[in-house]
Amino acid sequence: QVQLVESGGGLVQAGDSLKLSCVASGRTFSRAAMAWFRQRPGKKREAVATITRSGSPTYYEDSVSGRFIITRDNGINTVYLQMFNLRPEDTAVYYCAALYKGDYYHTSIVEEEYDYWGQGTQVTVSS
């Protein structure tokens, strides 16, 4: 069993930055591909960014590419999502997820592939 705990959400203004953290426990973190998903009001949950076990390569959804950066520190079992130039449309509950299937470079944008989920952290961006 894996526990994922997100933190760092909050209320910010458009153009501000925010950094989300997700700390994992329970299984070997370095064996998991990790991802950040978000669920905007009235929308389905969508993948925002993914990262392989080693930290590279990474994937970004088009609307956040160039503004968000996903990184991980396997030494402290943590994955981050640094968000710059936030927009009102980034308002959502952000979830981290862990995937323990596949080879060393496998990641996915399909939420059903992920084995474990955090409880989510709210990010609200005002205009």
Side-chain angles (χ1 to χ4, degrees), residues 6 35-48 61 92-97 109-114 116-121:
E6 302 102 332
W36 286 95
F37 285 74
R38 69 183 178 187
Q39 187 163 22
R40 294 183 279 186
K43 305 273 189 177
K44 292 180 62 175
R45 192 156 56 181
E46 61 182 349
V48 173
E61 191 271 329
V93 179
Y94 285 74
Y95 299 89
C96 71
I109 60 171
V110 178
E111 65 173 295
E112 289 78 10
E113 285 205 39
Y114 284 80
Y116 302 100
W117 292 83
Q119 81 288 352
T121 186

Short mmCIF file of all heavy atoms in Angstrom, two decimals, residues 6 35-48 61 92-97 109-114 116-121:
data_model
loop_
_atom_site.label_atom_id
_atom_site.label_comp_id
_atom_site.label_asym_id
_atom_site.label_seq_id
_atom_site.Cartn_x
_atom_site.Cartn_y
_atom_site.Cartn_z
N GLU A 6 -0.57 15.26 -0.66
CA GLU A 6 -0.27 16.50 -1.37
C GLU A 6 -0.34 17.69 -0.43
O GLU A 6 -1.06 17.68 0.57
CB GLU A 6 -1.26 16.75 -2.52
CG GLU A 6 -1.34 15.66 -3.56
CD GLU A 6 -2.56 14.77 -3.38
OE1 GLU A 6 -3.01 14.65 -2.22
OE2 GLU A 6 -3.04 14.20 -4.36
N ALA A 35 2.63 11.18 -11.47
CA ALA A 35 1.89 12.14 -12.30
C ALA A 35 1.11 13.10 -11.41
O ALA A 35 0.80 12.80 -10.26
CB ALA A 35 0.94 11.40 -13.23
N TRP A 36 0.83 14.23 -11.98
CA TRP A 36 -0.13 15.18 -11.42
C TRP A 36 -1.34 15.23 -12.35
O TRP A 36 -1.18 15.42 -13.56
CB TRP A 36 0.48 16.57 -11.28
CG TRP A 36 1.46 16.69 -10.16
CD1 TRP A 36 2.82 16.56 -10.24
CD2 TRP A 36 1.15 16.94 -8.78
NE1 TRP A 36 3.37 16.72 -9.00
CE2 TRP A 36 2.38 16.97 -8.09
CE3 TRP A 36 -0.02 17.16 -8.07
CZ2 TRP A 36 2.47 17.19 -6.71
CZ3 TRP A 36 0.05 17.39 -6.72
CH2 TRP A 36 1.28 17.40 -6.04
N PHE A 37 -2.49 15.04 -11.76
CA PHE A 37 -3.75 15.21 -12.47
C PHE A 37 -4.48 16.38 -11.84
O PHE A 37 -4.16 16.81 -10.73
CB PHE A 37 -4.63 13.95 -12.32
CG PHE A 37 -4.19 12.79 -13.15
CD1 PHE A 37 -3.08 12.03 -12.82
CD2 PHE A 37 -4.92 12.40 -14.26
CE1 PHE A 37 -2.69 10.94 -13.58
CE2 PHE A 37 -4.55 11.31 -15.04
CZ PHE A 37 -3.43 10.58 -14.70
N ARG A 38 -5.47 16.87 -12.55
CA ARG A 38 -6.33 17.90 -11.95
C ARG A 38 -7.76 17.68 -12.41
O ARG A 38 -8.02 17.13 -13.48
CB ARG A 38 -5.88 19.30 -12.33
CG ARG A 38 -6.07 19.69 -13.80
CD ARG A 38 -5.51 21.08 -14.06
NE ARG A 38 -5.63 21.44 -15.47
CZ ARG A 38 -5.10 22.54 -16.00
NH1 ARG A 38 -4.40 23.39 -15.23
NH2 ARG A 38 -5.26 22.81 -17.28
N GLN A 39 -8.67 18.13 -11.56
CA GLN A 39 -10.08 18.10 -11.93
C GLN A 39 -10.65 19.49 -11.75
O GLN A 39 -10.77 19.98 -10.62
CB GLN A 39 -10.85 17.09 -11.08
CG GLN A 39 -12.29 16.92 -11.55
CD GLN A 39 -12.93 15.66 -11.02
OE1 GLN A 39 -12.52 15.10 -10.00
NE2 GLN A 39 -13.96 15.19 -11.70
N ARG A 40 -10.92 20.12 -12.88
CA ARG A 40 -11.51 21.45 -12.87
C ARG A 40 -13.01 21.35 -12.66
O ARG A 40 -13.62 20.32 -12.94
CB ARG A 40 -11.17 22.17 -14.17
CG ARG A 40 -9.68 22.46 -14.30
CD ARG A 40 -9.35 23.22 -15.55
NE ARG A 40 -9.26 22.36 -16.72
CZ ARG A 40 -8.87 22.78 -17.92
NH1 ARG A 40 -8.56 24.05 -18.09
NH2 ARG A 40 -8.81 21.94 -18.93
N PRO A 41 -13.64 22.40 -12.18
CA PRO A 41 -15.08 22.35 -11.91
C PRO A 41 -15.86 21.93 -13.15
O PRO A 41 -15.71 22.51 -14.23
CB PRO A 41 -15.40 23.78 -11.50
CG PRO A 41 -14.13 24.32 -10.95
CD PRO A 41 -13.04 23.68 -11.75
N GLY A 42 -16.68 20.91 -13.01
CA GLY A 42 -17.52 20.45 -14.10
C GLY A 42 -16.81 19.66 -15.17
O GLY A 42 -17.41 19.35 -16.21
N LYS A 43 -15.54 19.34 -14.94
CA LYS A 43 -14.76 18.63 -15.95
C LYS A 43 -14.29 17.28 -15.43
O LYS A 43 -14.26 17.03 -14.23
CB LYS A 43 -13.52 19.46 -16.34
CG LYS A 43 -13.80 20.86 -16.80
CD LYS A 43 -14.10 20.93 -18.26
CE LYS A 43 -14.16 22.36 -18.75
NZ LYS A 43 -14.36 22.45 -20.20
N LYS A 44 -13.89 16.43 -16.35
CA LYS A 44 -13.28 15.16 -15.96
C LYS A 44 -11.85 15.39 -15.49
O LYS A 44 -11.20 16.37 -15.88
CB LYS A 44 -13.27 14.19 -17.16
CG LYS A 44 -14.63 13.71 -17.61
CD LYS A 44 -14.52 12.77 -18.79
CE LYS A 44 -13.74 11.54 -18.44
NZ LYS A 44 -13.72 10.55 -19.57
N ARG A 45 -11.36 14.47 -14.68
CA ARG A 45 -9.97 14.56 -14.24
C ARG A 45 -9.05 14.35 -15.44
O ARG A 45 -9.30 13.46 -16.27
CB ARG A 45 -9.71 13.54 -13.14
CG ARG A 45 -8.40 13.73 -12.43
CD ARG A 45 -8.41 13.13 -11.03
NE ARG A 45 -8.74 11.73 -10.96
CZ ARG A 45 -8.81 11.05 -9.82
NH1 ARG A 45 -8.58 11.66 -8.67
NH2 ARG A 45 -9.11 9.78 -9.84
N GLU A 46 -7.99 15.14 -15.50
CA GLU A 46 -7.08 15.09 -16.64
C GLU A 46 -5.64 15.10 -16.15
O GLU A 46 -5.31 15.68 -15.11
CB GLU A 46 -7.30 16.30 -17.56
CG GLU A 46 -7.04 17.63 -16.89
CD GLU A 46 -7.30 18.83 -17.78
OE1 GLU A 46 -7.48 18.66 -19.00
OE2 GLU A 46 -7.32 19.94 -17.24
N ALA A 47 -4.78 14.47 -16.95
CA ALA A 47 -3.36 14.46 -16.63
C ALA A 47 -2.76 15.82 -16.97
O ALA A 47 -2.98 16.35 -18.05
CB ALA A 47 -2.65 13.37 -17.40
N VAL A 48 -1.99 16.36 -16.06
CA VAL A 48 -1.32 17.64 -16.25
C VAL A 48 0.15 17.43 -16.59
O VAL A 48 0.67 18.06 -17.50
CB VAL A 48 -1.45 18.49 -14.98
CG1 VAL A 48 -0.62 19.76 -15.09
CG2 VAL A 48 -2.91 18.84 -14.72
N GLU A 61 0.61 18.47 -20.37
CA GLU A 61 -0.58 18.79 -21.14
C GLU A 61 -0.36 20.12 -21.83
O GLU A 61 0.33 21.01 -21.29
CB GLU A 61 -1.78 18.82 -20.19
CG GLU A 61 -3.13 18.89 -20.87
CD GLU A 61 -3.59 20.30 -21.13
OE1 GLU A 61 -3.22 21.20 -20.33
OE2 GLU A 61 -4.31 20.52 -22.12
N ALA A 92 -8.52 24.20 -9.89
CA ALA A 92 -8.87 22.78 -9.89
C ALA A 92 -8.40 22.14 -8.57
O ALA A 92 -7.63 22.75 -7.81
CB ALA A 92 -8.19 22.05 -11.05
N VAL A 93 -8.86 20.93 -8.37
CA VAL A 93 -8.24 20.08 -7.34
C VAL A 93 -7.13 19.31 -8.03
O VAL A 93 -7.36 18.66 -9.06
CB VAL A 93 -9.26 19.12 -6.71
CG1 VAL A 93 -8.56 18.24 -5.67
CG2 VAL A 93 -10.40 19.90 -6.08
N TYR A 94 -5.94 19.39 -7.48
CA TYR A 94 -4.77 18.73 -8.05
C TYR A 94 -4.45 17.47 -7.25
O TYR A 94 -4.38 17.51 -6.01
CB TYR A 94 -3.58 19.67 -8.06
CG TYR A 94 -3.69 20.72 -9.15
CD1 TYR A 94 -4.57 21.78 -9.04
CD2 TYR A 94 -2.91 20.63 -10.32
CE1 TYR A 94 -4.70 22.73 -10.05
CE2 TYR A 94 -3.03 21.57 -11.32
CZ TYR A 94 -3.92 22.61 -11.18
OH TYR A 94 -4.05 23.54 -12.19
N TYR A 95 -4.24 16.36 -7.98
CA TYR A 95 -3.98 15.07 -7.36
C TYR A 95 -2.62 14.55 -7.85
O TYR A 95 -2.31 14.67 -9.03
CB TYR A 95 -5.02 14.05 -7.78
CG TYR A 95 -6.43 14.37 -7.39
CD1 TYR A 95 -7.25 15.13 -8.25
CD2 TYR A 95 -6.97 13.92 -6.19
CE1 TYR A 95 -8.55 15.42 -7.90
CE2 TYR A 95 -8.28 14.22 -5.84
CZ TYR A 95 -9.06 14.97 -6.70
OH TYR A 95 -10.36 15.26 -6.36
N CYS A 96 -1.86 13.95 -6.96
CA CYS A 96 -0.72 13.19 -7.43
C CYS A 96 -1.10 11.72 -7.47
O CYS A 96 -2.00 11.27 -6.75
CB CYS A 96 0.53 13.43 -6.58
SG CYS A 96 0.48 12.71 -4.94
N ALA A 97 -0.43 10.99 -8.34
CA ALA A 97 -0.75 9.58 -8.55
C ALA A 97 0.54 8.82 -8.82
O ALA A 97 1.48 9.35 -9.39
CB ALA A 97 -1.71 9.43 -9.71
N ILE A 109 -0.99 8.95 -19.28
CA ILE A 109 -1.94 10.03 -19.01
C ILE A 109 -3.33 9.47 -18.73
O ILE A 109 -4.29 10.23 -18.60
CB ILE A 109 -1.98 11.06 -20.15
CG1 ILE A 109 -2.42 10.41 -21.47
CG2 ILE A 109 -0.62 11.73 -20.33
CD1 ILE A 109 -2.68 11.42 -22.57
N VAL A 110 -3.42 8.16 -18.64
CA VAL A 110 -4.70 7.48 -18.41
C VAL A 110 -4.85 7.22 -16.93
O VAL A 110 -4.07 6.44 -16.35
CB VAL A 110 -4.77 6.17 -19.20
CG1 VAL A 110 -6.09 5.46 -18.93
CG2 VAL A 110 -4.59 6.44 -20.69
N GLU A 111 -5.84 7.85 -16.31
CA GLU A 111 -5.92 7.73 -14.86
C GLU A 111 -6.18 6.31 -14.39
O GLU A 111 -5.73 5.95 -13.29
CB GLU A 111 -6.98 8.68 -14.31
CG GLU A 111 -8.40 8.40 -14.72
CD GLU A 111 -9.37 9.31 -13.97
OE1 GLU A 111 -9.47 9.19 -12.75
OE2 GLU A 111 -10.03 10.15 -14.63
N GLU A 112 -6.83 5.49 -15.20
CA GLU A 112 -7.11 4.12 -14.78
C GLU A 112 -5.84 3.28 -14.63
O GLU A 112 -5.85 2.24 -13.99
CB GLU A 112 -8.04 3.43 -15.77
CG GLU A 112 -9.48 3.94 -15.75
CD GLU A 112 -9.67 5.25 -16.47
OE1 GLU A 112 -8.74 5.70 -17.16
OE2 GLU A 112 -10.76 5.84 -16.34
N GLU A 113 -4.75 3.72 -15.22
CA GLU A 113 -3.50 2.97 -15.10
C GLU A 113 -2.81 3.19 -13.76
O GLU A 113 -1.95 2.40 -13.38
CB GLU A 113 -2.54 3.37 -16.22
CG GLU A 113 -2.88 2.81 -17.58
CD GLU A 113 -1.66 2.71 -18.48
OE1 GLU A 113 -0.57 2.35 -17.99
OE2 GLU A 113 -1.80 3.01 -19.68
N TYR A 114 -3.18 4.23 -13.07
CA TYR A 114 -2.47 4.57 -11.84
C TYR A 114 -2.99 3.75 -10.67
O TYR A 114 -4.17 3.47 -10.54
CB TYR A 114 -2.55 6.08 -11.58
CG TYR A 114 -1.60 6.80 -12.48
CD1 TYR A 114 -1.93 7.07 -13.81
CD2 TYR A 114 -0.33 7.15 -12.03
CE1 TYR A 114 -1.02 7.67 -14.66
CE2 TYR A 114 0.58 7.78 -12.88
CZ TYR A 114 0.23 8.02 -14.20
OH TYR A 114 1.14 8.61 -15.04
N TYR A 116 -2.20 4.31 -7.22
CA TYR A 116 -2.44 5.00 -5.95
C TYR A 116 -2.64 6.48 -6.21
O TYR A 116 -2.01 7.06 -7.11
CB TYR A 116 -1.26 4.79 -4.99
CG TYR A 116 -0.96 3.34 -4.70
CD1 TYR A 116 0.07 2.69 -5.37
CD2 TYR A 116 -1.71 2.63 -3.77
CE1 TYR A 116 0.34 1.36 -5.11
CE2 TYR A 116 -1.44 1.30 -3.52
CZ TYR A 116 -0.42 0.68 -4.20
OH TYR A 116 -0.15 -0.65 -3.94
N TRP A 117 -3.48 7.08 -5.35
CA TRP A 117 -3.84 8.49 -5.48
C TRP A 117 -3.76 9.20 -4.14
O TRP A 117 -4.05 8.60 -3.09
CB TRP A 117 -5.27 8.61 -6.01
CG TRP A 117 -5.40 8.13 -7.42
CD1 TRP A 117 -5.58 6.84 -7.83
CD2 TRP A 117 -5.36 8.93 -8.60
NE1 TRP A 117 -5.65 6.79 -9.21
CE2 TRP A 117 -5.51 8.07 -9.70
CE3 TRP A 117 -5.20 10.30 -8.83
CZ2 TRP A 117 -5.52 8.53 -11.02
CZ3 TRP A 117 -5.22 10.75 -10.14
CH2 TRP A 117 -5.37 9.87 -11.22
N GLY A 118 -3.42 10.46 -4.22
CA GLY A 118 -3.53 11.30 -3.04
C GLY A 118 -4.94 11.82 -2.89
O GLY A 118 -5.82 11.56 -3.72
N GLN A 119 -5.14 12.59 -1.83
CA GLN A 119 -6.48 13.09 -1.52
C GLN A 119 -6.81 14.38 -2.28
O GLN A 119 -7.98 14.78 -2.33
CB GLN A 119 -6.61 13.34 -0.01
CG GLN A 119 -6.03 14.66 0.49
CD GLN A 119 -4.51 14.71 0.49
OE1 GLN A 119 -3.83 13.71 0.27
NE2 GLN A 119 -3.97 15.89 0.75
N GLY A 120 -5.80 14.98 -2.86
CA GLY A 120 -6.02 16.20 -3.63
C GLY A 120 -5.76 17.46 -2.84
O GLY A 120 -5.91 17.49 -1.61
N THR A 121 -5.36 18.51 -3.55
CA THR A 121 -5.16 19.82 -2.95
C THR A 121 -5.78 20.87 -3.87
O THR A 121 -5.59 20.81 -5.08
CB THR A 121 -3.67 20.10 -2.68
OG1 THR A 121 -3.53 21.33 -1.96
CG2 THR A 121 -2.84 20.16 -3.95
#
